[in-house]
Amino acid sequence: MNDSVTANPLTDPFGRSISSLRISVTDRCNLNCIYCHHEGNDCVHAESEISKQTILNLVGAARCHGVNKLKFSGGEPLMRSDFEEIISELPRMKNISATTNGVMLADRAHDLKDSGLDRVNISLDTLDPERYRYITNGSSHLLERVMDGIHMAVDAGLVPVKLNMVLLKGLNDSEIEDMLDFVRGYSDGVVLQLIELMDFNGIPSYRIDADAIEQYLASRAKSIITRKMHRRKKYLIDGAAVEFVRPIDNSQFCAACNRLRVTPQGKLKPCLLVNDNLVDIEGADCRQMHELLRTAVSRRVPFCR
Ligand SMILES: Nc1nc2c(ncn2[C@@H]2O[C@H](COP(=O)(O)OP(=O)(O)OP(=O)(O)O)[C@@H](O)[C@H]2O)c(=O)[nH]1
Ligand code: SF4
Ligand code: SF4
């Protein structure tokens, strides 16, 4: 098929067109964060991982339907030693990004950029080593490695680097201003992304008041932009850009959900929070992928309505 032609855009029964794939390449991770949602995957200890060829076949087919953005996540995607190889064999897309905890990023940032990765999101919930240890169940020294990872990502041009800060009431919510200052230190190469906790891990006591956070950001912002994806708000505050990801009980967020997910076991996942409607794609060839994509998209229902 001629790649420049978009055949049959993938539109779900609720009129949401799919423009992006979010591919979780592994469940493995070198941290164990207290809020980890494992990308909504309820099968986190499977032995095999989605193969490079399945990813390439899927992306090739999805591209013919107008998908132009890819997000790679995990677990921790850099746990896969063939991650750079996967990126380098992908067809050209509008944007290819990865979400990482940053611990192993410093040494690989330049290779990733050379392989074709456009940008990264890096978890940074706190600037305090002791809090970092508590939140990630890792060593406090790893925070320095994350800082090196952020530095090298900017140096390699994996920008804008988004710093993912999951807001945890009483734990790190006092650090928002410090994080804004940190982001300003990188001028426009780094964006702060505040994330509302998805508390299905039994840690509801950390849930923040999202309305209050939104009001606070609005009161500080010179301008506010609404992104197409999830209708997320982006605030510009004295030279720092801040996005707020607010997925809880948010029908607007789900109404503007344009991503199809892929699990590390090689299944299309119509929604982060639903596990009984997956479509197996492992081993499918390019031709079969078109039909499998259509099946998964036909099963998409907004989680919040
Ligand atoms: N419920 C829900 N939450 C999401 C979805 N996408 C992202 N999130 C939340 O947003 C967090 C940050 O996601 P990232 O992997 O950094 O990527 P992103 O910010 O969504 O994507 P970009 O803006 O393209 O970088 C995730 O850990 C989730 O908590 C989604 O489709 N549904
Ligand atoms: S770094 Fe990400 S994948 Fe790893 S435990 Fe933390 S939240 Fe989960
Ligand atoms: S429908 Fe809502 S909960 Fe499901 S993946 Fe999309 S934004 Fe997330």
Side-chain angles (χ1 to χ4, degrees):
M1 187 176 301
N2 181 344
D3 283 343
S4 63
V5 175
T6 299
N8 303 322
L10 297 164
T11 305
D12 72 22
F14 295 82
R16 301 174 301 170
S17 291
I18 305 305
S19 57
S20 128
L21 291 180
R22 186 180 172 99
I23 305 173
S24 173
V25 290
T26 181
D27 280 323
R28 291 177 290 138
C29 187
N30 46 354
L31 297 179
N32 184 17
C33 302
I34 56 174
Y35 56 73
C36 186
H37 53 52
H38 303 281
E39 297 283 323
N41 196 356
D42 65 357
C43 168
V44 290
H45 298 299
E47 281 173 17
S48 62
E49 291 176 338
I50 185 168
S51 67
K52 179 181 78 176
Q53 195 55 53
T54 298
I55 294 172
L56 296 178
N57 292 350
L58 171 68
V59 172
R63 190 163 164 262
C64 296
H65 297 280
V67 169
N68 56 18
K69 286 176 75 181
L70 302 178
K71 164 76 75 193
F72 287 93
S73 68
E76 167 52 45
L78 298 187
M79 294 296 283
R80 272 189 75 152
S81 55
D82 62 349
F83 189 54
E84 285 84 344
E85 197 181 318
I86 294 170
I87 301 287
S88 69
E89 294 186 31
L90 292 167
R92 277 174 64 94
M93 306 289 281
K94 187 170 160 196
N95 195 281
I96 303 176
S97 64
T99 297
T100 167
N101 61 35
V103 170
M104 296 185 289
L105 183 59
D107 292 343
R108 293 168 70 177
H110 280 88
D111 283 349
L112 286 163
K113 181 72 184 178
D114 293 345
S115 305
L117 194 70
D118 292 306
R119 62 181 185 87
V120 282
N121 294 6
I122 303 173
S123 302
L124 185 68
D125 299 312
T126 176
L127 298 168
D128 176 80
E130 262 315 293
R131 275 188 204 146
Y132 181 85
R133 183 193 61 72
Y134 179 78
I135 293 170
T136 63
N137 282 299
S139 152
S140 55
H141 303 298
L142 294 179
L143 181 56
E144 264 176 52
R145 285 172 54 182
V146 177
M147 293 298 184
D148 289 346
I150 294 168
H151 183 74
M152 292 308 279
V154 173
D155 188 62
L158 290 167
V159 291
V161 170
K162 280 197 193 176
L163 299 183
N164 280 347
M165 178 185 191
V166 178
L167 289 173
L168 302 162
K169 186 176 164 194
L171 246 185
N172 66 355
D173 55 345
S174 59
E175 290 191 63
I176 294 177
E177 284 297 330
D178 292 341
M179 292 291 269
L180 288 172
D181 282 341
F182 181 79
V183 163
R184 284 185 196 107
Y186 279 98
S187 75
D188 57 0
V190 176
V191 171
L192 179 60
Q193 178 154 270
L194 303 175
I195 300 171
E196 185 182 17
L197 173 70
M198 294 206 265
D199 53 1
F200 39 64
N201 270 357
I203 49 170
S205 59
Y206 291 132
R207 193 190 258 210
I208 44 96
D209 179 344
D211 285 337
I213 299 286
E214 208 156 271
Q215 279 162 22
Y216 174 72
L217 295 172
S219 72
R220 300 271 281 103
K222 288 229 165 49
S223 73
I224 305 173
I225 298 161
T226 303
R227 286 184 64 193
K228 201 169 163 196
M229 185 179 67
H230 295 144
R231 302 215 177 98
R232 296 182 188 185
K233 295 232 174 71
K234 185 172 178 176
Y235 304 82
L236 298 176
I237 302 177
D238 298 332
V242 192
E243 276 190 39
F244 189 25
V245 181
R246 228 189 131 167
I248 307 296
D249 297 333
N250 187 346
S251 55
Q252 286 209 6
F253 192 88
C254 293
C257 175
N258 54 21
R259 312 177 139 160
L260 187 62
R261 294 170 171 266
V262 184
T263 76
Q265 291 76 40
K267 296 184 197 312
L268 294 173
K269 191 172 193 311
C271 173
L272 172 74
L273 299 177
V274 180
N275 278 306
D276 62 2
N277 59 359
L278 311 190
V279 176
D280 198 354
I281 56 166
E282 188 58 59
D285 63 25
C286 286
R287 200 180 44 80
Q288 295 165 323
M289 283 297 179
H290 294 282
E291 201 45 48
L292 294 169
L293 276 165
R294 274 191 281 271
T295 302
V297 170
S298 74
R299 294 180 184 176
R300 273 172 49 88
V301 175
F303 190 78
C304 302
R305 287 197 257 170

